[in-house]
Amino acid sequence: MSFMTKKTVLSVDLRCLKCRKKLMMKISSIEGIDLIVLDPSKNIVTVIGEADPMKVVRKVRKFRSSAQVVTVGPAKEEKKDEKKVEKKDEKNVEKKDDKKDTSAHTVVHCSTPRTCHSCDVWYVVSQDYVSPCHIL
């Protein structure tokens, strides 16, 4: 039986870092996965591999029932496009080297919450139990 690599793209609500980690662990437990790409800015998960796309969708929907399938299809290899992009990048790098960049670099830090409401777990350590019935 010949397996073909498939590309599955899902739209999942990735609220926090803990959600992303849990989702990666769930998807990586499936056999036949070659690549998992999470894009939290667009809330998209891309899975490439020989695994059945239905298994991937089931695992993700167990984690987030609101997950939606965007596309399922064969994984395309873009070797020709990569060569063109590399050539263009080399030309752009040469042009940039000729010009001296005097602009200041700014760094922007995103503030992503450590945990979301669904991941934040509160445990009751002790509870005072008062019986409603008191017989004297």
Side-chain angles (χ1 to χ4, degrees), residues 3 18 20 22 29 35 38 43-44 48 62 64 68 72 74 78-79 88 93 96 102 110 116 124 130 135:
F3 291 105
K18 200 169 183 179
R20 293 178 205 146
K22 284 181 184 179
S29 67
L35 179 66
L38 295 176
N43 287 335
I44 290 181
I48 298 175
K62 280 185 181 179
R64 287 270 189 260
Q68 297 177 355
V72 175
E78 300 178 10
K79 293 181 181 178
K88 289 180 182 177
V93 169
K96 286 181 182 178
T102 58
C110 300
C116 61
V124 176
V130 178
I135 300 176

Side-chain angles (χ1 to χ4, degrees), residues 45-94:
V45 178
T46 305
V47 180
I48 298 175
E50 297 174 352
D52 185 23
M54 288 306 296
K55 286 183 181 179
V56 175
V57 171
R58 274 190 226 125
K59 282 278 189 179
V60 173
R61 284 200 175 152
K62 280 185 181 179
F63 178 69
R64 287 270 189 260
S65 59
S66 63
Q68 297 177 355
V69 179
V70 177
T71 60
V72 175
K76 297 179 182 178
E77 295 182 17
E78 300 178 10
K79 293 181 181 178
K80 295 178 183 178
D81 294 335
E82 289 176 5
K83 291 179 183 177
K84 291 179 183 177
V85 170
E86 287 177 10
K87 289 179 182 177
K88 289 180 182 177
D89 288 338
E90 289 174 4
K91 291 178 183 177
N92 288 338
V93 169
E94 290 174 3

Side-chain angles (χ1 to χ4, degrees), residues 1-61:
M1 180 184 278
S2 172
F3 291 105
M4 187 174 159
T5 58
K6 295 180 182 176
K7 180 178 180 180
T8 307
V9 180
L10 303 166
S11 175
V12 183
D13 188 20
L14 302 171
R15 299 179 185 145
C16 65
L17 297 173
K18 200 169 183 179
C19 290
R20 293 178 205 146
K21 184 177 178 181
K22 284 181 184 179
L23 185 64
M24 287 287 282
M25 294 299 290
K26 296 233 184 230
I27 294 174
S28 64
S29 67
I30 301 171
E31 290 185 27
I33 300 293
D34 295 332
L35 179 66
I36 302 170
V37 179
L38 295 176
D39 188 5
S41 63
K42 297 178 183 176
N43 287 335
I44 290 181
V45 178
T46 305
V47 180
I48 298 175
E50 297 174 352
D52 185 23
M54 288 306 296
K55 286 183 181 179
V56 175
V57 171
R58 274 190 226 125
K59 282 278 189 179
V60 173
R61 284 200 175 152

